[in-house]
Amino acid sequence: MTINDVHTKQRASTSIRLSPDGPAAILRAETAPTWDAAVGHRFVTELFAGTLEDSVMGKYLIQDYQFFESFLSMLGACGAHTDVIGPKLRFAKQLGVLEADEDSYFVTAFAEVGVPVGEHDAPDLSAATARFRDLMDEAVASASYPDLLIVLVIAEWLYLDWGEREDPMPRRHIHAGWIDLHRGDDFRAWVQFLVDELERVFPTGDDAESVADRDRLTHLWQRTVDVELAFFDEAYVPD
Amino acid sequence: MTINDVHTKQRASTSIRLSPDGPAAILRAETAPTWDAAVGHRFVTELFAGTLEDSVMGKYLIQDYQFFESFLSMLGACGAHTDVIGPKLRFAKQLGVLEADEDSYFVTAFAEVGVPVGEHDAPDLSAATARFRDLMDEAVASASYPDLLIVLVIAEWLYLDWGEREDPMPRRHIHAGWIDLHRGDDFRAWVQFLVDELERVFPTGDDAESVADRDRLTHLWQRTVDVELAFFDEAYVPD
């Protein structure tokens, strides 16, 4: 076993195809400790084991639900600002899917963990939720397709990576349903599309503008991965 | 018969519900001569009569097809920049519908009037097409929901108004299909939604910013209605 094997072994695996020296592989490798801490988080382990406390799951879902609106905005902005018709149509399709299937998991899940209707509509935002929403809203306001993609790629890819963990599946719908939303051929194809788009538009030039753009995007990537980990942590912080 | 009746009689009718003194009614009334000239245009009359030359229809459709991409961008931007979840979902739904039904009319229609594949992909833009695309792209770049709505309301409402003309329907698919796309309950509900949104967000204050916004939006409305009329005219200009 070489050093390289050890290194590979310690990392969370992914089913996403990457150019080995492409920006997505590099960004992910640079944030591997945080990324892998999120994928291997106690929350995910307990979710798969079916041992997650309802109070933790409820708290997590209430906060996650607060992203739905900003997430729709990000997809709309991607459709508006991507430069090519194919991706424009892909975002249009995804928005149609989200609209049609809007709340189905959440409605059942909130009932299952006893979150009353109304309590999930406008809760106090946790610090991580507020930071994440700010990141999304800044990306929308930037009108920059690469910035939007950075946030979106992480939000979806990191969830695919934990969703595809090879643990046995839990029994209860609230647990299994949340995992099923983040695995499978359709979701993987969606994440692959996002990653491919990021690789396509990531700035590669040596001019000052490209360098500055790369720095900004790299910093945004790091901030977003940090928030993902913090978001899992916060589900365990007592009120 | 009063002056008012005469005035009403000369105007194109609409099935859209309006607040009588609301911004949509006022904007439409201020541009009534141009609006009505578009709705009553020779192109529309010949379309319903089924007497439109294939060369005119082909030329018109090739140019119209060039808006599809900018139109998707406008819907995405509306979804990104509207402030409320309901409308955000409505734009998401419409994008899903457009993606699913993308080209069906155009593919058949181009074949019917003998436009070879490829010729409709990147034709020389007519002056009106270029102006219209600029208007759409400026609205997307503005990231302003009211600006986006102005262009979108006209693009859809003016087409509903001519689509609902009470002339008998023509026989050929290329004519009847284009009319059917711009009438009916679903299309009317979509236009009503857009008009209601414009009324909801149109600035009404007396402060300098509201006044400046109103002036800008009114000017944009006038430019857009002008382009709609010019677009019909240009279908008859020989190459």
Side-chain angles (χ1 to χ4, degrees):
Chain A
M1 187 179 270
T2 66
I3 297 276
N4 213 28
D5 288 334
V6 174
H7 202 201
T8 308
K9 186 111 186 127
Q10 288 171 337
R11 290 212 187 140
S13 67
T14 190
S15 63
I16 293 301
R17 297 181 308 278
L18 297 171
S19 325
D21 303 318
I26 292 169
L27 289 166
R28 190 173 185 279
E30 283 174 355
T31 48
T34 316
W35 187 285
D36 297 350
V39 171
H41 198 277
R42 174 185 169 190
F43 181 93
V44 180
T45 303
E46 294 183 353
L47 179 70
F48 273 94
T51 58
L52 198 58
E53 297 278 352
D54 279 2
S55 62
V56 174
M57 187 69 185
K59 195 167 170 179
Y60 167 89
L61 288 177
I62 288 173
Q63 294 295 319
D64 191 274
Y65 192 61
Q66 308 314 311
F67 298 131
F68 183 61
E69 198 168 328
S70 297
F71 192 75
L72 290 177
S73 300
M74 282 211 301
L75 294 190
C78 282
H81 300 303
T82 180
D83 51 328
V84 189
I85 182 73
K88 223 174 258 295
L89 287 166
R90 185 66 187 82
F91 287 109
K93 181 179 176 180
Q94 196 70 12
L95 281 162
V97 168
L98 282 177
E99 191 276 334
D101 193 34
E102 194 189 342
D103 278 349
S104 49
Y105 169 79
F106 281 97
V107 170
T108 320
F110 284 137
E112 201 172 329
V113 292
V115 174
V117 175
E119 202 168 296
H120 49 72
D121 273 352
D124 292 337
L125 300 188
S126 77
T129 307
R131 278 165 65 203
F132 211 161
R133 223 155 71 162
D134 286 349
L135 281 173
M136 292 184 178
D137 295 345
E138 280 169 32
V140 170
S142 77
S144 156
Y145 186 46
D147 288 70
L148 287 155
L149 280 174
I150 288 279
V151 179
L152 208 45
V153 160
I154 295 167
E156 299 291 63
W157 188 12
L158 195 148
Y159 269 52
L160 176 74
D161 277 359
W162 72 247
E164 291 191 332
R165 272 175 55 164
E166 289 178 3
D167 310 29
M169 284 293 274
R171 199 179 37 80
R172 284 176 61 195
H173 168 75
I174 192 168
H175 300 138
W178 191 239
I179 296 167
D180 282 337
L181 283 174
H182 301 106
R183 70 195 310 174
D185 292 344
D186 286 351
F187 189 62
R188 190 185 315 112
W190 164 242
V191 177
Q192 185 71 56
F193 158 75
L194 293 173
V195 171
D196 290 347
E197 280 295 281
L198 181 61
E199 304 232 304
R200 180 175 72 78
V201 302
F202 199 82
T204 54
D206 290 328
D207 54 302
E209 192 184 337
S210 295
V211 172
D213 283 347
R214 257 199 313 278
D215 286 351
R216 188 188 69 252
L217 294 170
T218 302
H219 183 59
L220 179 58
W221 178 282
Q222 290 160 347
R223 283 167 67 206
T224 308
V225 176
D226 285 347
V227 176
E228 286 284 5
L229 179 59
F231 189 73
F232 279 135
D233 286 343
E234 280 194 339
Y236 289 93
V237 176
D239 285 320
Chain B
M1 189 180 268
T2 67
I3 297 277
N4 214 28
D5 289 333
V6 174
H7 202 201
T8 309
K9 186 106 186 130
Q10 288 171 337
R11 288 207 189 146
S13 67
T14 190
S15 63
I16 293 300
R17 295 181 309 279
L18 297 170
S19 323
D21 304 318
I26 292 169
L27 289 166
R28 191 173 185 278
E30 283 174 355
T31 48
T34 315
W35 187 284
D36 296 351
V39 171
H41 199 277
R42 173 185 169 189
F43 179 93
V44 180
T45 304
E46 293 182 353
L47 179 70
F48 273 94
T51 57
L52 199 58
E53 298 278 352
D54 279 2
S55 62
V56 174
M57 188 69 186
K59 194 167 171 180
Y60 167 89
L61 287 177
I62 288 173
Q63 294 296 317
D64 192 274
Y65 192 62
Q66 308 312 312
F67 298 130
F68 184 61
E69 198 168 328
S70 296
F71 193 74
L72 289 177
S73 300
M74 283 213 298
L75 294 191
C78 282
H81 300 302
T82 181
D83 52 327
V84 189
I85 181 74
K88 224 174 256 295
L89 288 166
R90 186 65 187 83
F91 287 109
K93 181 179 176 181
Q94 195 70 13
L95 281 162
V97 168
L98 282 177
E99 191 275 335
D101 193 32
E102 193 188 334
D103 277 350
S104 50
Y105 169 79
F106 280 98
V107 170
T108 320
F110 284 137
E112 201 172 329
V113 291
V115 174
V117 174
E119 202 168 297
H120 49 73
D121 272 353
D124 292 336
L125 299 190
S126 77
T129 308
R131 279 164 65 203
F132 210 160
R133 222 153 72 163
D134 286 348
L135 281 174
M136 292 183 178
D137 294 345
E138 280 170 32
V140 170
S142 77
S144 154
Y145 186 46
D147 288 70
L148 288 156
L149 281 174
I150 289 279
V151 178
L152 208 45
V153 160
I154 294 167
E156 299 291 63
W157 188 11
L158 196 147
Y159 269 52
L160 176 75
D161 277 359
W162 73 245
E164 291 190 332
R165 272 176 55 164
E166 289 179 2
D167 310 29
M169 284 292 274
R171 199 177 39 80
R172 285 176 60 195
H173 168 75
I174 192 168
H175 300 138
W178 191 239
I179 296 167
D180 282 337
L181 283 174
H182 301 105
R183 70 194 313 175
D185 292 345
D186 286 352
F187 188 63
R188 190 184 316 113
W190 163 243
V191 177
Q192 185 72 55
F193 159 75
L194 293 172
V195 171
D196 290 347
E197 280 296 280
L198 181 60
E199 304 233 306
R200 181 175 73 77
V201 302
F202 200 81
T204 53
D206 290 327
D207 55 300
E209 192 185 337
S210 295
V211 172
D213 284 346
R214 257 200 312 278
D215 287 351
R216 188 188 70 251
L217 295 169
T218 302
H219 183 58
L220 179 59
W221 179 280
Q222 289 160 348
R223 282 167 66 205
T224 308
V225 177
D226 285 347
V227 175
E228 286 284 4
L229 179 59
F231 189 74
F232 279 136
D233 287 343
E234 279 192 341
Y236 288 94
V237 176
D239 285 321

